[in-house]
Amino acid sequence: MFMKMAVTTANSTSWVAVFSDFKEITKVRLAVSVVFSSLAGYLLAPTAFDLISISLLAFGGYCMVGASNAYNQVIERDLDALMNRTKNRPVASGRMSVSKAMIIAVTLTVLGLVALYYLNAKTAMFGALSIFLYTSVYTPLKTITPLAVFVGAFPGAIPFMLGWVAATNEFGIEPGTLFMIQFFWQFPHFWALGWMLDEDYAKGGFKMLPTGKKDKGTALQIIMYTIWMMLISVVPVFGITGQLSLSVPAAIIVFIMGLVMLFFAFKLYEKRDNVAAKKLMLASVSYITLMQIVYVIDKFI
């Protein structure tokens, strides 16, 4: 009886470890946030709610993000091993072999593309494009030039617009606007994160800050991109973005949230320390989530 219990416990522990590594190699929190953005974009589209489409979008979106992260961790495994924040990742630590990680990545790619293609070909195309840009352009550029963040902002901005395309099978001014909102948001968010982790990134040779330093130049660019993000986020209130609209009260709320983020950007410019960078990073996460919620609620009230 004791032996049987021991075997059962060992098997249970083994499965827990496998599931934990799967969550880490697919970056579950990031993947969930991407799925959230995609679903928000879907709900904003002028189409009827369809549970099957929502499920396919959520599943396909998670698979595509998970695949991108798995490929990334295979490519950067040697560099990840040098940094404190990444040295315990499954591949970098040696807990998972490269072949197993690639099997996961390829399987998620196929499953994700099939799910998104079932919605429509455009959605699958944008999903495939996001994987290509993230793994084949953004990832290798990270050790070469700070412009990697600019390139990475493209796949990072696709999810919000992807939901609209999934719902309508059309790409126009509406999903383009959603893309631009999340595109400009990427810069203050990732530069704040890059500021916090600059010393650790340096161990892996990553060049994430626009000036290469935690200086006023970087902080100033963060401020400028935050302003552009604020402006593009309220453009739909002027009625020039097709079927994507925003009421005046909702636009005011979104703009005020942007001002809060801008306040923390100015604080970073003033103090130029990791504490200020962390506050800005947290403010940016709150902004993108709450902004999308406001957009969706505004459509339905």
Side-chain angles (χ1 to χ4, degrees), residues 36 39-41 43-45 160 244-247 249-251 253-254 257 289-301:
F36 181 87
L39 296 182
L43 293 174
L44 289 174
F160 200 16
L244 177 66
S245 61
L246 194 65
S247 69
I253 292 171
V254 169
M257 291 191 302
T289 303
L290 294 175
M291 178 273 297
Q292 290 168 347
I293 290 174
V294 169
Y295 261 73
V296 172
I297 291 176
D298 185 59
K299 178 194 171 183
F300 289 99
I301 61 173

Side-chain angles (χ1 to χ4, degrees), residues 27-88:
K27 290 188 180 178
V28 64
R29 286 187 294 181
L30 173 61
V32 169
S33 70
V34 168
V35 169
F36 181 87
S37 291
S38 298
L39 296 182
Y42 180 94
L43 293 174
L44 289 174
T47 55
F49 181 91
D50 180 72
L51 186 58
I52 293 178
S53 295
I54 282 280
S55 301
L56 286 170
L57 179 61
F59 176 75
Y62 189 99
C63 286
M64 302 306 275
V65 179
S68 296
N69 290 322
Y71 287 127
N72 174 265
Q73 290 185 40
V74 168
I75 295 168
E76 295 183 345
R77 60 190 183 278
D78 294 333
L79 300 179
D80 281 347
L82 302 175
M83 298 183 290
N84 293 331
R85 63 181 286 270
T86 56
K87 64 184 180 183
N88 289 320

Side-chain angles (χ1 to χ4, degrees), residues 219-265:
L220 183 60
Q221 291 201 47
I222 288 174
I223 290 171
M224 296 305 298
Y225 276 94
T226 301
I227 292 172
W228 280 113
M229 176 205 73
M230 292 170 59
L231 294 176
I232 194 68
S233 292
V234 297
V235 162
V237 77
F238 299 106
I240 58 175
T241 53
Q243 297 182 79
L244 177 66
S245 61
L246 194 65
S247 69
V248 172
I252 292 173
I253 292 171
V254 169
F255 192 75
I256 290 173
M257 291 191 302
L259 286 175
V260 172
M261 192 168 154
L262 184 62
F263 169 80
F264 287 110

